[in-house]
Amino acid sequence: MRQITRRQRYDKKTETAKRFPIELATVNFHHDVNLAYLVRAAACFGISSINVIGAIPPRRAINQLSGSTLDYVQLRQFSTPSEFMDFSRRNNMNLVSVELEETAVPLKEYEFNFSSKLCIVAGHETTGIPSEILLSSDVVYIPMPGVGFCLNTSQASNIVLYEAINQFQNMSARI
C-alpha cells in the first residue's frame, strides 16, 4: 500500500519538474473529457497554462477526469477567438494550429520556433479552429497512414505537444 497520497506525490515531484515555454489553446471542446485529458497532458509534460476559448466545465468534472492534475495547470478563459488573439498578440506568442487543411505542414517536417512563447492550438471536434486563428498560425497536421483520417482533438494535441517538447529539449541540448 502506498504511504503517500497522489496529491503528495505530485507536490513532491514539483520540486524537480521542468516547465517549458509552451502553452495550449482549445476551442470549447464538445466533450469535457477532452479538456481534462489536455490538463493531464499539460501537467505531465511541464506546460503551465491552457487557454480555453468558450466555456470551461465545472472544476469537479475536469479535476476528476484529469487524474487530479488541475491544480498544476492554469486555465485561462476567453469568450471569443478575437479575445484570445488579442491576448496572444500582447504576449508575443507563436501560434501553431493542429488542423487538417490544404496549407498544413506534416508534423514530422515542421520546425517549431521557440524565439517567443509557443502556443499549440486545438480545434473544436465539429467546427475546427476559427479562421481568425488559422490565419495567424502556422498550421500542422499529423499524417495518418491507417484507414482513419482524423484523430480526437486531445490526442492530436498530445502528439504535437510531445514533438514540440522533443524539439525544444534537442535545441537546448545543442546550446
Side-chain angles (χ1 to χ4, degrees):
M1 187 187 287
R2 289 203 166 120
Q3 299 298 318
I4 61 175
T5 66
R6 177 184 289 185
R7 178 63 184 230
Q8 289 169 323
R9 288 193 320 269
Y10 289 161
D11 287 345
K12 183 167 178 52
K13 192 170 180 189
T14 60
E15 298 167 11
T16 59
K18 292 182 180 180
R19 294 289 185 175
F20 296 95
I22 301 170
E23 294 189 7
L24 294 170
T26 69
V27 179
N28 188 18
F29 284 125
H30 186 77
H31 303 286
D32 295 350
V33 73
N34 286 326
L35 179 56
Y37 288 164
L38 276 188
V39 167
R40 187 174 194 153
C44 290
F45 283 119
I47 306 306
S48 300
S49 300
I50 298 176
N51 303 296
V52 180
I53 303 164
I56 295 177
R59 175 183 169 76
R60 184 178 53 211
I62 297 174
N63 198 49
Q64 181 180 13
L65 293 168
S66 72
S68 302
T69 57
L70 184 57
D71 289 334
Y72 303 95
V73 177
Q74 176 187 14
L75 296 182
R76 284 190 208 101
Q77 185 175 12
F78 300 91
S79 299
T80 65
S82 295
E83 186 181 342
F84 168 71
M85 288 304 301
D86 289 343
F87 172 81
S88 66
R89 284 185 200 104
R90 281 193 316 273
N91 288 281
N92 193 34
M93 291 182 161
N94 290 322
L95 301 179
V96 177
S97 292
V98 185
E99 186 73 82
L100 293 172
E101 65 128 45
E102 288 180 22
T103 63
V105 175
L107 180 60
K108 63 184 175 188
E109 297 174 16
Y110 184 76
E111 190 172 318
F112 289 91
N113 177 357
F114 297 105
S115 63
S116 59
K117 186 169 275 194
L118 172 67
C119 185
I120 297 168
V121 183
H124 184 275
E125 291 93 334
T126 305
T127 59
I129 297 172
S131 57
E132 177 180 358
I133 296 172
L134 286 175
L135 291 171
S136 297
S137 300
D138 288 346
V139 183
V140 299
Y141 75 94
I142 302 162
M144 291 167 245
V147 69
F149 64 90
C150 183
L151 288 170
N152 168 281
T153 54
S154 66
Q155 293 170 332
S157 299
N158 290 337
I159 291 168
V160 175
L161 178 59
Y162 181 82
E163 177 62 23
I165 288 171
N166 276 338
Q167 286 187 26
F168 183 85
Q169 289 178 316
N170 289 336
M171 178 195 71
S172 297
R174 290 188 300 254
I175 295 175

